[in-house]
Amino acid sequence: MSETRLGTGQVAILALFVTALTTAQLTASKLLAIPVPDALGSLPVVGATVLMPGAALAYALTFFASDCYSELYGRRAATVMVNVGFAMNFVLLALVWGTIFMPAANPEFAGQFRTVLASGTNVVAGSLLAYVVSQNWDVFAFHRIREVTGGDHLWLRNVASTATSQAIDTVIFVTVAFYVAPRLLGIGEAFPPSVVLSLVVGQYLLKLLIAVVDTPFVYAVVAALGGGRGRDERDPWALE
């Protein structure tokens, strides 16, 4: 049996991915209202205030982590990370609801606890579908662009793969979490279509900005960890 070796950098990227993913699930039910700078005036669809789920920043970090991981350790390793992360959503859901159903020392606080965290079920429902589609697309698009460009232009595959996958993710996630799931599951409030559309546009604008801004950091992480060194796709975890 071959020995599995994980370097500090690899573990750090995995930890960032899981931490950001978990944080996104727990913070998405809070809606943020970010004022548009006066110099930009009122934006189409979103108006003078950009609405977005509280998970927008945390979830954007998962794409940053997956792009770094894809470049450093290959498509298969990144796909393994993404799909294990998908399974962990079910673990999160089981732990949250297990805690909700356990007897409480303070019933009043238990009610508040349920109100806050139960809505996360809608978030997880939307996230599960959005996640498995968009993250796998991100890995596929990243490596397809890498093949077409002969391994050059890391900035292009980082921005293009993230921009397209974030668009897919945002539409699926917001629609399911804030419109479809509340109606089907009877948990939380279903938002009107106009608010859902505003959330989609607002969240995507932030994610697109992050996709561009994080490119130098992707270069820095890849350079710090030795660059993409053509990992053996037969062993997604081996460093050598």
Side-chain angles (χ1 to χ4, degrees):
M1 180 181 295
S2 61
E3 181 183 359
T4 299
R5 297 178 297 277
L6 297 178
T8 301
Q10 188 173 7
V11 172
I13 297 175
L14 288 168
L16 174 62
F17 183 85
V18 173
T19 301
L21 179 62
T22 305
T23 302
Q25 307 293 33
L26 296 177
T27 58
S29 58
K30 177 180 179 178
L31 293 186
L32 307 181
I34 311 299
V36 176
D38 293 337
L40 297 178
S42 181
L43 298 178
V45 181
V46 300
T49 303
V50 177
L51 297 178
M52 65 185 70
L57 178 59
Y59 201 60
L61 283 177
T62 65
F63 288 90
F64 166 76
S66 65
D67 282 351
C68 291
Y69 206 79
S70 289
E71 179 67 14
L72 287 162
Y73 307 111
R75 178 176 175 178
R76 182 178 174 185
T79 301
V80 169
M81 179 184 72
V82 164
N83 289 320
V84 169
F86 174 75
M88 291 304 102
N89 281 285
F90 292 98
V91 175
L92 172 65
L93 199 58
L95 291 173
V96 167
W97 277 99
T99 305
I100 288 175
F101 285 131
M102 290 292 288
N106 185 333
E108 181 179 354
F109 177 77
Q112 297 171 349
F113 183 86
R114 180 188 177 108
T115 299
V116 172
L117 289 185
S119 61
T121 300
N122 297 336
V123 171
V124 174
S127 179
L128 285 173
L129 180 58
Y131 176 90
V132 74
V133 175
S134 63
Q135 288 282 3
N136 280 288
W137 168 260
D138 184 61
V139 173
F140 168 79
F142 186 92
H143 285 279
R144 182 68 183 124
I145 297 171
R146 195 176 196 273
E147 292 170 3
V148 171
T149 59
D152 296 328
H153 309 306
L154 172 58
W155 64 270
L156 177 61
R157 55 184 175 273
N158 175 64
V159 173
S161 65
T162 300
T164 54
S165 58
Q166 292 281 29
I168 295 170
D169 171 79
T170 302
V171 171
I172 296 175
F173 169 69
V174 173
T175 302
V176 173
F178 297 101
Y179 187 79
V180 177
R183 283 173 164 76
L184 292 180
L185 301 178
I187 301 174
E189 177 186 0
F191 294 168
S194 59
V195 176
V196 171
L197 179 60
S198 179
L199 284 171
V200 168
V201 175
Q203 183 172 351
Y204 184 66
L205 287 175
L206 175 66
K207 289 178 175 179
L208 191 60
L209 176 63
I210 292 174
V212 175
V213 172
D214 78 4
T215 300
F217 297 97
V218 172
Y219 272 93
V221 170
V222 170
L225 298 180
R229 291 176 285 184
R231 306 299 181 196
D232 187 348
E233 292 289 348
R234 293 171 299 178
D235 183 0
W237 304 111
L239 289 180
E240 296 177 1

